Amino acid sequence: MSNFLGKSNLSRGIRNNNPGNLVITNNAWIGKIPKSQNNDGRFEQFSEVKYGIRAMIIDILGDIGKGKNTIRKLITEYAPSFENDTNKYINVVASSLRMNPDSVIKEVDYIFIHKISRAIITHENGKDGALIADSDIFEAIDIVDRKELNGVVINTKKSFKYNVIIIPLVLFFYTVLTVAL
């Protein structure tokens, strides 16, 4: 559980616990700092970073559900050109996902959500994006209410985050045992 709220030496998205830099809306996000207490004035603030990531994920998945189903369409909606170098942003995210920017997003699973979240967080926050742990992203994914996804179906197999640990450990011990014998 990470909380960077108010740490002035960090990038705006991180210090707002809003690493996706979502602008203030009337959405009643879980963990949202009320508008009357928000001291940023332009971007949402959250009580914990997992809630800011959760809101970003719901926003992204909602856009996919509305037909923004390529990286180009998605990032053009998420990061409009009047305030971003949208083409660069598209290429960074597409490269992170190893996808053609115009390929249709066919599967939305934990791996996809993790990778796109990581790419957006890094692009939005530069080096400070590294302060967001993978566990923060996975925790946010776990608290997304499936009813909020506007028809986007997520493969909810969570084995990925455990396989990332288990498979290398098994291979390590197998290698140690075979070398020792």
Side-chain angles (χ1 to χ4, degrees):
M1 167 176 33
S2 299
N3 184 355
F4 304 99
L5 192 62
K7 296 186 178 180
S8 61
N9 60 325
L10 299 175
S11 64
R12 192 177 201 175
I14 301 300
R15 74 174 177 257
N16 284 337
N17 285 331
N18 176 9
N21 280 322
L22 299 176
V23 296
I24 293 174
T25 65
N26 291 326
N27 289 343
W29 301 114
I30 293 175
K32 175 180 176 170
I33 303 292
K35 196 172 185 178
S36 61
Q37 296 171 21
N38 180 315
N39 58 19
D40 183 279
R42 173 151 163 64
F43 292 96
E44 298 280 19
Q45 292 180 317
F46 294 89
S47 59
E48 294 177 40
V49 76
K50 69 180 177 183
Y51 296 124
I53 297 169
R54 175 189 175 276
M56 176 188 72
I57 291 168
I58 291 169
D59 186 57
I60 291 165
L61 296 177
D63 287 345
I64 293 170
K66 293 175 190 168
K68 310 291 188 210
N69 59 353
T70 68
I71 298 303
R72 184 173 313 282
K73 291 176 184 176
L74 186 62
I75 297 303
T76 299
E77 173 79 13
Y78 188 84
S81 60
F82 69 86
E83 60 186 9
N84 294 280
D85 181 348
T86 305
N87 284 326
K88 180 180 178 185
Y89 205 146
I90 290 165
N91 291 330
V92 166
V93 172
S95 176
S96 295
L97 292 166
R98 297 185 177 168
M99 287 181 68
N100 179 303
D102 298 307
S103 294
V104 174
I105 298 167
K106 295 180 181 168
E107 183 174 4
V108 178
D109 60 9
Y110 271 66
I111 297 170
F112 174 85
I113 297 169
H114 173 262
K115 285 183 177 182
I116 197 166
S117 297
R118 174 60 66 201
I120 290 171
I121 290 166
T122 300
H123 190 79
E124 290 284 339
N125 299 284
K127 65 178 177 53
D128 285 348
L131 295 170
I132 304 300
D134 285 342
S135 60
D136 292 321
I137 297 171
F138 287 125
E139 192 171 356
I141 294 169
D142 287 342
I143 60 172
V144 170
D145 184 347
R146 302 295 186 246
K147 292 178 281 191
E148 297 175 278
L149 300 183
N150 198 26
V152 176
V153 178
I154 297 177
N155 178 346
T156 57
K157 292 181 183 174
K158 297 181 186 180
S159 60
F160 164 74
K161 70 179 176 183
Y162 302 111
N163 287 345
V164 169
I165 297 168
I166 293 170
I167 291 172
L169 281 174
V170 169
L171 290 173
F172 171 77
F173 286 116
Y174 174 78
T175 304
V176 169
L177 289 173
T178 55
V179 170
L181 298 175

